[in-house]
Amino acid sequence: MDITFEKVGYTYQKGTPFESRALYDIDFDIKDGSYTALVGHTGSGKSTILRHLNALNKPTEGKVIIGDREIVSTTNNKNLKSIRKKVGIVFQFPESQLFEETIAKDIAFGPKNFGATEEEGVEIAKRMLPLVGLDETYMERSPFDLSGGQMRRVAIAGVLAMEPEVLVLDEPTAGLDPKGRKEMMDMFYQLYKEHGMTIVLVTHQMEDVASYANHVIILEQGTVVKEGPPREIFQNEPWLESKQLDVPATVSFASRLEERIGLRLGDIPLTTDELADQLVAHLASSSIEGGDAK
Amino acid sequence: MMEKLIFGRYIPGTSWIHRLDPRAKLLSTILFIFVIFLANNWQTYLLLFIFVLTAVLLSEIKFSFFINGIKPMIWLILFTVILQVLFTGGGEVYFQWGILMLTSQGLLNGVFIFCRFVLIIFMSTLLTLTTMPLSLTDALEYLMRPLIALKVPVYEIALMLSIALRFVPTLMDETEKIMNAQRARGVDFGEGNVFQQMKAIVPLLIPLFVSSFNRAEELATAMEARGYSGGEGRTKFRKLDWSASDTLVMVVFVLITAALVFLRN
């Protein structure tokens, strides 16, 4: 399902003395089956955009086209459920949305709101738990007995349980340890690869952007300042710095190498694997040339 | 929905009223509510209106804010006024139907009640618009000090008040966030019949309580770690400062009270 923003503007508390503008003239496409990363400095409007993706906010100007539905400022608040089912959002610190007595019930809460029966809900919960790395023994436990990381998994399972076509993630790994972080990001990537899910990721982790996304949208002060594939985006380190953003560690390592010892590796390396391959290739070629691989 | 509410908000500013000591402002607002009951004819109400409008002008805040402060209360005001008008006897009778009657005395009373409401709301809106919530608690703590002799835990009350005030916006944000998260999971807030609406609140209320408990625990730990061990024997960072203009406000108040006593029937 495609999501298109056409000249979208959004003003908070419009018509009151506390009015503040958050978005200006936003134009972009999130193509079906893409992995889009939304990056930008704090307060650039990422979270506001995110709430437009499933019509939690309606644009005050322009329109958002979600699948075959068009959302404008005058769109009625009724009948938006079908959109919410198709676009699942995992908000920041989603563990704060848990409320049911048991984990199974909490996971089934979303599907039941969209019309699933009690049995179907349990069935779905059973399927979702392994997906987020928990097993069936957790079904009847209270979500409030879990550790922070496990609670987050349950909350994410609750969103996945609605079987959305588009999964929106707002800093899903914030506050997790490195292992949990990696597991979670790999899980999302698997959903993207194997289940053909469209993913929108809001993050400050440039490494995640480089290793997973295939489309990057950069925001600054409520407008899109650049978009394109990650390799193109990370090409220009000084420009990113001027937007108070970073390049992935591998990219800055490669550019440092070039700066210090004049070693040029070719394409900018987005992941450690790519960097390692390039270095190996370079060492191999230089050992053929000079015999000294130091 | 909550964002339209102006009543009870603070608007930063540097006007004469803003710079007054919060004790003076709090005290005069409380006194005003008592003094207003002295007024019982048009001269006295005129005097109070002049006083309040001068204060509003001095605060350099747009008049529309004060009107907005009245809006949420307008039905309550009208309800009271209408009851007052219909059930007050005395004076010339214009119209009568059973116990309901329209009399000159009733109309006059209705107008006075209306004025009373407007004046009190203007005055309290003025207080909250020009005084930081934290200064208000400071003022309250100071004014409650005599109660320590009666074993009232004044420091604790003041601490709870300032923590509560500090967390109002945080909790509002939290509410908004959880609401959005649950709406994304298919909850419709504010739709359907009363029971459906009440049921929809559960997924909002429980997480809010849970996060409040967690927050309270974290805050208590952080406070203890920083050496908090009760209100007794603490020094103050924010010092209240009573100046000549504050005395002037109180003098004006005494004069107005005297004038009211003199002018009333």
Side-chain angles (χ1 to χ4, degrees):
Chain A
M1 196 172 64
D2 293 342
I3 298 179
T4 308
F5 276 54
E6 276 178 23
K7 295 240 160 279
V8 171
Y10 187 77
T11 311
Y12 280 102
Q13 310 198 10
K14 206 177 167 103
T16 73
F18 304 98
E19 190 172 291
S20 72
R21 185 91 193 241
L23 300 179
Y24 304 83
D25 270 337
I26 303 266
D27 270 304
F28 63 72
D29 273 316
I30 291 166
K31 287 260 178 313
D32 187 43
S34 67
Y35 196 131
T36 306
L38 218 52
V39 291
H41 190 54
T42 313
S44 58
K46 299 182 299 272
S47 300
T48 312
I49 286 191
L50 200 124
R51 286 197 293 273
H52 279 84
L53 295 175
N54 72 350
L56 283 173
N57 283 7
K58 290 176 293 182
T60 44
E61 292 143 43
K63 60 182 169 186
V64 180
I65 303 161
I66 306 172
D68 50 7
R69 290 286 297 271
E70 214 170 78
I71 309 289
V72 292
S73 62
T74 52
T75 303
N76 196 306
N77 273 329
K78 300 233 157 84
N79 307 320
L80 293 178
K81 262 195 173 182
S82 59
I83 294 178
R84 308 254 160 89
K85 190 190 171 331
K86 285 184 192 149
V87 184
I89 300 191
V90 176
F91 284 95
Q92 249 173 62
F93 299 102
E95 51 273 31
S96 67
Q97 74 191 33
L98 302 175
F99 73 99
E100 285 278 17
E101 301 144 57
T102 68
I103 288 168
K105 271 192 190 169
D106 206 285
I107 295 176
F109 178 68
K112 271 177 15 204
N113 282 330
F114 294 115
T117 63
E118 198 78 38
E119 295 81 51
E120 283 168 344
V122 174
E123 204 44 55
I124 293 172
K126 219 178 260 176
R127 268 194 293 126
M128 289 302 144
L129 277 173
L131 213 54
V132 292
L134 299 172
D135 57 63
E136 257 181 55
T137 56
Y138 284 91
M139 292 278 280
E140 293 308 313
R141 288 174 62 178
S142 160
F144 298 109
D145 290 340
L146 302 180
S147 73
Q150 288 172 324
M151 277 167 85
R152 176 147 335 162
R153 284 159 197 268
V154 173
I156 290 172
V159 175
L160 292 178
M162 310 185 311
E163 300 178 311
E165 293 173 32
V166 180
L167 183 64
V168 183
L169 308 160
D170 190 358
E171 298 189 38
T173 59
L176 288 187
D177 57 47
K179 183 164 169 282
R181 204 182 200 124
K182 173 102 177 53
E183 278 174 12
M184 206 150 270
M185 288 313 295
D186 284 345
M187 176 195 83
F188 293 133
Y189 195 66
Q190 194 191 341
L191 285 170
Y192 160 74
K193 272 275 167 224
E194 288 169 18
H195 300 251
M197 217 176 238
T198 309
I199 290 189
V200 181
L201 172 72
V202 171
T203 186
H204 291 290
Q205 304 293 325
M206 291 304 161
E207 279 72 26
D208 290 347
V209 176
S211 15
Y212 300 108
N214 55 25
H215 188 71
V216 184
I217 297 171
I218 295 187
L219 291 165
E220 194 194 27
Q221 290 178 359
T223 59
V224 175
V225 283
K226 198 170 197 167
E227 62 174 320
R231 213 176 287 278
E232 203 175 283
I233 297 285
F234 292 129
Q235 212 89 49
N236 197 343
E237 204 175 332
W239 183 84
L240 280 167
E241 264 162 23
S242 75
K243 302 290 170 215
Q244 304 190 24
L245 295 170
D246 234 344
V247 293
T250 51
V251 177
S252 67
F253 180 78
S255 68
R256 207 76 52 78
L257 266 185
E258 189 177 339
E259 207 177 280
R260 289 274 179 82
I261 55 172
L263 174 59
R264 180 139 184 84
L265 290 171
D267 259 356
I268 59 166
L270 290 179
T271 60
T272 358
D273 285 346
E274 262 182 56
L275 177 65
D277 287 347
Q278 287 180 357
L279 283 173
V280 168
H282 172 77
L283 289 178
S285 67
S286 61
S287 65
I288 293 167
E289 281 164 25
D292 187 288
K294 204 159 148 198
Chain B
M1 86 195 145
M2 292 169 259
E3 56 208 27
K4 292 246 163 73
L5 225 66
I6 305 254
F7 198 61
R9 286 231 203 171
Y10 168 67
I11 297 176
T14 54
S15 72
W16 190 77
I17 299 270
H18 277 92
R19 280 181 280 117
L20 283 179
D21 191 287
R23 281 170 295 183
K25 284 190 271 189
L26 186 62
L27 209 57
S28 36
T29 307
I30 294 170
L31 285 177
F32 184 83
I33 291 168
F34 287 106
V35 162
I36 202 166
F37 290 98
L38 286 174
N40 63 354
N41 58 18
W42 68 267
Q43 293 97 328
T44 44
Y45 275 108
L46 187 69
L47 182 67
L48 287 176
F49 259 108
I50 290 171
F51 172 71
V52 169
L53 290 182
T54 317
V56 166
L57 273 181
L58 282 173
S59 74
E60 292 165 18
I61 288 172
K62 266 190 267 164
F63 198 68
S64 58
F65 277 82
F66 293 89
I67 301 295
N68 279 334
I70 292 193
K71 272 185 194 158
M73 311 277 282
I74 195 72
W75 294 114
L76 181 71
I77 300 175
L78 287 181
F79 180 71
T80 324
V81 167
I82 287 169
L83 281 188
Q84 188 72 27
V85 167
L86 290 180
F87 288 101
T88 312
E92 198 178 327
V93 179
Y94 301 117
F95 171 82
Q96 182 154 23
W97 187 69
I99 52 162
L100 303 180
M101 52 187 149
L102 201 63
T103 63
S104 59
Q105 190 61 46
L107 276 178
L108 202 60
N109 263 3
V111 171
F112 284 168
I113 293 266
F114 183 77
C115 290
R116 217 172 264 177
F117 266 114
V118 169
L119 286 172
I120 290 178
I121 291 172
F122 268 33
M123 200 62 181
S124 44
T125 312
L126 183 69
L127 174 73
T128 54
L129 286 181
T130 59
T131 320
M132 268 188 296
L134 274 180
S135 326
L136 266 185
T137 35
D138 283 343
L140 209 57
E141 182 184 344
Y142 184 87
L143 295 177
M144 285 195 304
R145 247 183 227 172
L147 297 178
I148 292 177
L150 298 173
K151 298 233 186 295
V152 177
V154 168
Y155 294 117
E156 281 70 22
I157 292 174
L159 179 75
M160 281 196 290
L161 260 177
S162 51
I163 290 176
L165 283 173
R166 154 69 187 78
F167 278 101
V168 167
T170 315
L171 274 176
M172 295 257 263
D173 281 352
E174 182 100 16
T175 312
E176 181 98 30
K177 261 167 59 187
I178 297 173
M179 219 164 165
N180 273 331
Q182 306 297 27
R183 277 161 79 200
R185 294 211 283 167
V187 180
D188 288 320
F189 289 104
E191 273 175 43
N193 61 35
V194 183
F195 287 105
Q196 285 166 327
Q197 289 201 31
M198 286 200 316
K199 239 184 111 189
I201 296 283
V202 175
L204 174 64
L205 226 46
I206 295 180
L208 259 183
F209 270 107
V210 171
S211 82
S212 302
F213 285 138
N214 290 338
R215 208 185 290 279
E217 206 165 309
E218 278 163 25
L219 184 67
T221 316
M223 280 171 71
E224 257 175 44
R226 292 167 74 182
Y228 178 83
S229 58
E232 222 71 30
R234 292 183 69 203
T235 52
K236 281 192 146 307
F237 174 64
R238 291 185 309 269
K239 285 240 165 62
L240 299 173
D241 168 35
W242 189 274
S243 63
S245 39
D246 300 304
T247 315
L248 179 68
V249 170
M250 299 327 288
V251 169
V252 167
F253 238 92
V254 171
L255 290 179
I256 282 187
T257 316
L260 283 179
V261 172
F262 178 72
L263 284 175
R264 74 193 299 252
N265 298 342

